[in-house]
Amino acid sequence: MSTGEVVVSTDGGLREIVVDRAPARNALRAVDMHRITDAVTDAVDGGAVRAILLRSVGPHFCAGADIVSVNAPGAERPVTGGLIRAVRAGANRMIQALWDCPLPVVVAVAGRAMGLGAHLALTADVIVAAEGASLVEPFAGLGFAVDSGGTWLLARRAGLGAATQVLLRGKPLDARRGYELGVFDEVVADGDLVAQAARIAGELAAGPTLALSATKGLLRRGLTTDLAAALESELVAVELTVRSSDFKEGIAAFGQRRKPEFTGR
């Protein structure tokens, strides 16, 4: 049986990254993490991609890192320090690439998003969840600490209190509660998940790319800076974006009372 792969495609300005390992509940091997990272960095470097949609095939979004294949009988045992190097090069690099991505990122979460799978989803700008979706952090129950940005990402989405309950007590965060906390931005029927996530990603891909990227950067840097620095950063972003073709189109469309047609320039 095929173990599947990560499939990357681009249609217009939208890049779609699909984890297609349903028999393994879309658990990620090192090669899959590298593939996702490369797909994101290539999208940023190329210039033609204007938004990213990340989803998976099958009933579950992602069961986390594929610890089954790593610990299979006969598999080579890691040397001391090997785990640190592997996580840095694989999971951490993937999470960092998605968090730092200047393009809008939409993630569609079906079923369970566990461990690294939850953290993968939490890097997004828009998280669309199916009604049956849940975030699960199994680390404490397995006797080891959280990795791949789980503490940092979940606390920023859910708040410190809710993140503590999920991480220390292993309490799953279901779609309803996740929506109430702002972890999930939209909750839709299971059968509508892919279409709704694609619609939102398409809208963002058709938007004013430079302005969206600047705003995303301001929001994320604002988490670790003061108001004075944020005000100055906003001024620089405004100066940059008013020079864009999309700004001119936006102003013209506003005056003519029509929908703007942005080109991402």
Side-chain angles (χ1 to χ4, degrees):
M1 179 181 293
S2 172
T3 55
E5 59 180 347
V6 174
V7 180
V8 180
S9 61
T10 304
D11 183 7
L14 179 62
R15 168 150 298 182
E16 187 173 42
I17 304 172
V18 182
V19 182
D20 188 3
R21 303 194 69 232
R25 295 189 299 169
N26 294 312
L28 299 175
R29 305 159 297 180
V31 65
D32 304 316
M33 299 176 206
H34 295 320
R35 176 74 165 152
I36 293 171
T37 303
D38 290 346
V40 173
T41 55
D42 174 68
V44 174
D45 294 341
V49 176
R50 298 166 63 186
I52 294 173
L53 171 62
L54 175 61
R55 64 178 182 87
S56 58
V57 174
H60 297 290
F61 175 67
C62 177
D66 189 350
I67 60 175
V68 174
S69 62
V70 172
N71 292 281
E76 184 177 349
R77 297 296 93 185
V79 299
T80 302
L83 175 62
I84 292 175
R85 293 194 293 272
V87 174
R88 279 177 179 162
N92 286 4
R93 181 168 167 260
M94 176 182 67
I95 294 296
Q96 192 77 62
L98 279 158
W99 181 260
D100 290 341
C101 178
L103 303 172
V105 177
V106 179
V107 171
V109 178
R112 289 195 168 192
M114 298 182 65
L116 177 59
H119 311 160
L120 186 63
L122 291 168
T123 63
D125 302 298
V126 181
I127 304 176
V128 184
E131 290 177 338
S134 63
L135 294 186
V136 182
E137 298 282 12
F139 299 92
L142 296 173
F144 69 111
V146 185
D147 62 15
S148 62
T151 56
W152 195 88
L153 292 163
L154 187 57
R156 276 160 176 74
R157 270 276 183 172
L160 181 60
T164 300
Q165 300 306 306
V166 173
L167 290 167
L168 266 60
R169 300 176 64 189
K171 298 183 67 173
L173 190 64
D174 63 28
R176 180 188 61 80
R177 180 60 176 155
Y179 179 74
E180 291 173 353
L181 291 169
V183 174
F184 300 136
D185 299 296
E186 291 193 17
V187 176
V188 299
D190 291 14
D192 297 333
L193 176 64
V194 173
Q196 177 64 357
R199 184 187 67 78
I200 294 171
E203 288 179 355
L204 291 168
T209 306
L210 181 61
L212 295 179
S213 296
T215 302
K216 175 175 177 174
L218 289 166
L219 283 167
R220 300 205 169 189
R221 288 193 298 275
L223 294 171
T224 56
T225 191
D226 58 24
L227 176 58
L231 291 170
E232 288 301 313
S233 295
E234 288 174 350
L235 281 177
V236 173
V238 168
E239 177 69 27
L240 177 64
T241 54
V242 296
R243 308 292 178 181
S244 69
S245 297
D246 281 342
F247 172 75
K248 296 178 178 63
E249 166 62 11
I251 292 298
F254 179 79
Q256 297 165 14
R257 297 187 179 184
R258 61 175 175 80
K259 184 177 180 180
E261 296 181 6
F262 296 119
T263 61
R265 300 183 182 277

